[in-house]
Structures are given as structure tokens and as C-alpha cells.
Amino acid sequence: MPEPNDTHSKGNIVMVTDGASIPDPREWRLINAWSIALVGAVCALFALCLLWPDPYLRILLYLPDGVVVTFKITVMSICCAVPLGLLTGLGRISRNRAINLLASTYVEVIRGIPLLVQLFYIYYALSRFFQISGITSAVIAISVCYGAYMGEVFRAGIMAISKGQSEAARSLGFNRFQTMFYVVLPQAWRTILPPVGNECIAMLKDTSLVSIMAVPDIMQRARSFVGTTYLYFETYTVIALIYLIITLALSKAVSIMESRLNYYDGK
């Protein structure tokens, strides 16, 4: 997964990742790139299943179990990666040298190893010492990997908040913990949400890698279907459309959440 770039400019952060593009919540046009992509994908999938039910509808009906497993892995990984990313981001800006060094080393090491290698290492290499199920290995690897990337997102978001906010909170008697969690993070979250949402969507896409461990996700179900029918073009066309629809829907959900935050902040 490519390394995200963070740029500071007048308190704003630009995060570039391989996730889906989050629609601009201020853009309410009926026809835009997001709506064209989503409607096109849905119509294409519907047309294929309607015109050629065999094999397209048969393929689609073979995949629901894989979709459930994919979402299960994604949700569990998000629940682990976001807190880990927050702790890592706080560690990266900590004044304690030991904590800062530990967090920085974790980020550098994990970002230097491809996610696929981490999956192989946890599932196959560590099996020499203890057995871990495929789903558990997938959640651990994805959480650890994306925790490092999200750590940089949280760090950049926190640093984008003016130091005057912290100084004002401390002058009111807040300690460092209260200043961070009651003053800085609530303001930083509006900036952090889009890139964190982007990382979560990228996380869902990267769950396709767990098929190498025979975890019955969408890709593994597709490979199983292809292994008996040899319908490569038809099967992977359906898979591509399903992933596209899911990621577009999730990107819109993140956009709605962002617009709600801006609304409550009076922006």
C-alpha cells in the first residue's frame, strides 16, 4: 500500500492514499463523478444478471457468504486499527522520548513491510510457534498495518490545530489529558475524518488479500467458483462491480458524516 503524503498549509491537511475518493459534502449536484460511477456499476450488474442470468446471476448468488466475511473482517479491523492509530499518533507527538521512539519505530517498520508479507508472516511463519485462524490472522495483520498509517493521519490532524487552543485550555486549568481529549481532538476530528474514512475503505479493498489464506471472503468465493466453472471473465467482472458499488456507497457515507460534522460546527 503506498505511503500517504501529508501536507500542512494554513492548518489544512491534504492526505493522498489509495482509497476511494470521498465526495465533497458541499457538492449537491445530481450528476457528478460519484453518481455516474455508482449508477453505472449498479446498472451494469443488473443488466448482466437480467440479460444473462446464467452465469452472471448464478455467480452473484454464490457470493453473499463471502460478502459477509469481508465485512466481518473489515469491521473488526477498523475497531482495532482506529484506536491503535490514535495511540500511535499521540505517541508520535509525545514529549516522552521512549514513547515517541517506540511509536515512530512501529510506524517505520510496519510501513516498510507490504501487507501481503505481514499476512504471510502471521499466518504461516508464526504457525511454527502457535496456531492462528485465518480470520484472526487477517484482522491482526490489517489492524497492525493500517494502525501505522492511521497513526500518521492522527498525528497530522492533531498538529494542524493551533497551539493557541492548547495554551488557552491549559490557562483554564486543563491538564494535558483533558486538553487533548476535550479541546484538540474534537477540533481535529473534522479534519481527520475524511482520510480516516479513506483508509477504512482501502482496508475493505485490501481484505481481498486474505483469500490467499483460504479465508472465504468475496475473492476466495470467486476463486472457488472459477475453479469449477473456468468462467474467469464473467466471475471477476461481477467481483469488480461489487467492490466498486461497496466502496462508492461507503465513500458517500463518509461524506455524509463529514457534512454532519460541519453542520454541527456551524460551517
Side-chain angles (χ1 to χ4, degrees):
M1 185 175 66
E3 178 177 329
N5 302 312
D6 54 295
T7 304
H8 300 268
S9 176
K10 297 182 180 181
N12 296 321
I13 303 173
V14 177
M15 300 299 299
V16 181
T17 72
D18 65 346
S21 176
I22 303 299
D24 189 340
R26 294 165 296 184
E27 184 179 13
W28 293 105
R29 291 182 299 173
L30 182 61
I31 300 177
N32 52 36
W34 177 87
S35 62
I36 292 173
L38 180 63
V39 173
V42 172
C43 290
L45 185 59
F46 180 78
L48 289 173
C49 293
L50 183 64
L51 298 175
W52 298 283
D54 190 10
Y56 288 106
L57 183 58
R58 184 155 57 97
I59 296 169
L60 190 62
L61 295 177
Y62 189 79
L63 298 175
D65 291 343
V67 174
V68 172
V69 172
T70 293
F71 273 104
K72 179 180 177 180
I73 294 173
T74 303
V75 170
M76 290 192 295
S77 298
I78 291 173
C79 291
C80 296
V82 172
L84 181 58
L86 174 59
L87 292 175
T88 302
L90 294 175
R92 291 272 281 158
I93 61 175
S94 174
R95 297 180 181 179
N96 187 302
R97 296 190 55 143
I99 294 176
N100 188 291
L101 181 61
L102 180 62
S104 299
T105 302
Y106 160 65
V107 170
E108 294 301 327
V109 170
I110 296 301
R111 294 202 310 181
I113 303 174
L115 176 57
L116 184 60
V117 176
Q118 295 179 44
L119 286 166
F120 270 93
Y121 189 83
I122 293 174
Y123 186 65
Y124 292 109
L126 294 184
S127 64
R128 177 178 178 181
F129 306 102
F130 44 84
Q131 295 295 322
I132 307 177
S133 68
I135 291 181
T136 302
S137 300
V139 171
I140 292 174
I142 295 173
S143 300
V144 170
C145 178
Y146 275 89
Y149 285 90
M150 288 189 184
E152 290 300 279
V153 172
F154 278 102
R155 178 191 63 81
I158 292 171
M159 293 183 65
I161 301 302
S162 170
K163 290 184 178 180
Q165 298 289 325
S166 299
E167 293 172 356
R170 296 301 297 274
S171 68
L172 293 174
F174 284 27
N175 57 36
R176 289 183 181 177
F177 178 87
Q178 292 172 324
T179 300
M180 180 59 65
F181 284 91
Y182 295 124
V183 178
V184 177
L185 283 179
Q187 296 183 68
W189 184 245
R190 188 176 65 251
T191 305
I192 291 171
L193 178 61
V196 166
N198 230 332
E199 295 293 346
C200 292
I201 295 171
M203 192 182 303
L204 182 141
K205 294 193 299 180
D206 278 346
T207 58
S208 60
L209 296 174
V210 307
S211 61
I212 62 171
M213 303 183 300
V215 175
D217 71 321
I218 299 176
M219 277 300 298
Q220 177 59 26
R221 295 285 288 175
R223 291 171 61 183
S224 175
F225 188 87
V226 166
T228 58
T229 63
Y230 301 101
L231 298 172
Y232 291 94
F233 176 81
E234 294 85 351
T235 301
Y236 291 118
T237 297
V238 173
I239 291 296
L241 290 173
I242 289 175
Y243 271 114
L244 179 58
I245 292 170
I246 292 174
T247 55
L248 287 172
L250 292 178
S251 69
K252 187 61 175 180
V254 174
S255 176
I256 292 173
M257 291 173 62
E258 183 183 0
S259 66
R260 291 290 180 86
L261 282 176
N262 291 334
Y263 173 79
Y264 287 121
D265 286 341
K267 297 189 176 186

